[in-house]
Amino acid sequence: MTLSPARAPGDATTGVRRLTATLYAYAFLDEFVLLYPVYALLFSDTGLSIWQISSLFALWSVTGIVLEVPSGAWADAVSRRLLLWVGPLLTAAGFALWVIVPSYWAFALGFVLWGMRGALGSGALEALVYDELDRLGAADRYARVVGRAQAVGMVAVMAAMGLAGPVLDLGGYQAVGAASILACVLTSVTATRFPEHREAVPGPKHTSTLATLRAGLTEVRRDRSVRGALLLVPAVGAVWGALDEYTPLLVRDTGVAEQTVPYLLLVIWVGPAIGSLLTGVGERWGTARLGAVLAGSAVALAVGALLGTPAGIGLVAVAFGGFQLVNVLADARLQDRIDGARRATVTSVASMGTETATVAVFAAYAALAVGHAHGAVFAVFAVPYLVTAGVLVVRRGA
């Protein structure tokens, strides 16, 4: 597939504004889910054991791993916008099951639907945004635009954290679930507003999903620059993405009161939000500077976690902000190297790598946490970032 010709400057400006406005609205609604901060409580209150809850998380991740690459190939072969509006409806159906018939199997089916939604959107969103910006002559703004979108999403998460408690008090899990379902439906409606301009490449009228998948994987194998950029995405995103699930336990170990924990979690989320907003500054950074940011963030993570104090949580926020900054820039480097026709496929391969590595981090964390404080485990996971930083510095000429 090839992109349609670029528009005139005035039309291009209007097009970029429409694209970014839609993206920011989509990012906010997609993360403004009041169930996020309380679904673990719902599982526990339903009577699930910690092992059952952990198995649900594993099922969620495995679903994404299995479907990640095929869904990316489907997006390249059919329509990326289609996947972006269908996905949130699957999540809405899963949330409805959770609050209408709360049980282990309802939760499991809900996580399968949620995992499907994540796979459908991952790769498709990045590919659509990059190609539309490229068509409008604004591909160099990709990192900035995506960074701001992710910052908007993080603000939505923080807003959901603040509202979940009062809504839960007023109407219980049913009210929280209804609000979450509404957010999913609005996300789907917003996705239909995304522009999508792609033309078929010369040759067969319809390219099969399997053929698109093969072509995308061939590009990864043959192009060393694509492969290197692809590997950097999970190397940066997997560890801190998994550690985020354990931050409530890390915060609680500082000795603060239970009611203070959510406020310190909000402090942690401020870090990635700021990191997302700083992506414009780092668009032209070389690999050495990315490595330096990763190394500094790793040190902040280790020191902050080992301090075991609220002040240390501030350092963890700084670390997460650095990881998020490099994460967005790594994605931008990957998009710059991918052929447009297979963009969603290759991006999904990177996402699958992130999901697979995340599952490995979950398993390693569970093993290390036996007999060790959460702060010590967090510090151990700073080591992979130091290794990645070293590799980037060594490859600074690339």
Side-chain angles (χ1 to χ4, degrees), residues 229 232 285-287 290 328-337 398:
L232 182 60
W285 287 356
T287 54
L290 292 180
V328 176
L329 295 175
D331 172 55
R333 290 162 69 92
L334 176 62
Q335 299 303 327
D336 285 339
R337 289 163 172 76

Side-chain angles (χ1 to χ4, degrees), residues 131-382:
D131 279 349
E132 286 300 313
L133 287 173
D134 190 28
R135 184 181 67 87
L136 296 166
D140 59 333
R141 297 176 58 182
Y142 174 81
R144 235 172 310 166
V145 168
V146 170
R148 289 171 183 171
Q150 293 192 11
V152 168
M154 290 170 189
V155 170
V157 170
M158 290 187 283
M161 286 180 175
L163 288 174
V167 173
L168 186 64
D169 288 338
L170 288 173
Y173 291 117
Q174 289 73 21
V176 173
S180 301
I181 292 168
L182 177 60
C184 291
V185 172
L186 292 176
T187 303
S188 178
V189 171
T190 302
T192 64
R193 300 292 301 162
F194 275 118
E196 185 175 25
H197 301 81
R198 295 194 298 157
E199 299 174 356
V201 295
K205 185 175 181 180
H206 297 290
T207 303
S208 71
T209 298
L210 183 58
T212 304
L213 176 58
R214 283 199 299 264
L217 294 178
T218 298
E219 181 177 356
V220 173
R221 280 199 313 271
R222 292 181 178 176
D223 193 324
R224 184 177 179 182
S225 67
V226 171
R227 189 164 60 250
L230 185 148
L231 291 173
L232 182 60
V233 173
V236 176
V239 175
W240 82 273
L243 290 180
D244 177 61
E245 300 295 334
Y246 299 99
T247 50
L249 303 176
L250 179 70
V251 170
R252 189 172 60 184
D253 276 3
T254 64
V256 298
E258 290 288 335
Q259 57 267 32
T260 306
V261 171
Y263 297 109
L264 287 179
L265 291 178
L266 287 175
V267 170
I268 291 178
W269 273 90
V270 168
I274 294 175
S276 296
L277 292 173
L278 291 176
T279 50
V281 177
E283 284 176 324
R284 300 187 183 279
W285 287 356
T287 54
R289 187 164 294 184
L290 292 180
V293 173
L294 274 185
S297 300
V299 172
L301 176 66
V303 174
L306 290 173
L307 281 177
T309 64
I313 297 301
L315 284 176
V316 174
V318 170
F320 278 17
F323 298 147
Q324 171 65 5
L325 170 60
V326 178
N327 204 41
V328 176
L329 295 175
D331 172 55
R333 290 162 69 92
L334 176 62
Q335 299 303 327
D336 285 339
R337 289 163 172 76
I338 304 173
D339 176 73
R342 294 177 286 274
R343 189 175 304 283
T345 304
V346 178
T347 304
S348 290
V349 172
S351 297
M352 184 183 70
T354 300
E355 288 289 344
T356 303
T358 298
V359 173
V361 174
F362 284 146
Y365 194 103
L368 291 170
V370 177
H372 296 88
H374 291 287
V377 180
F378 267 66
V380 168
F381 280 107

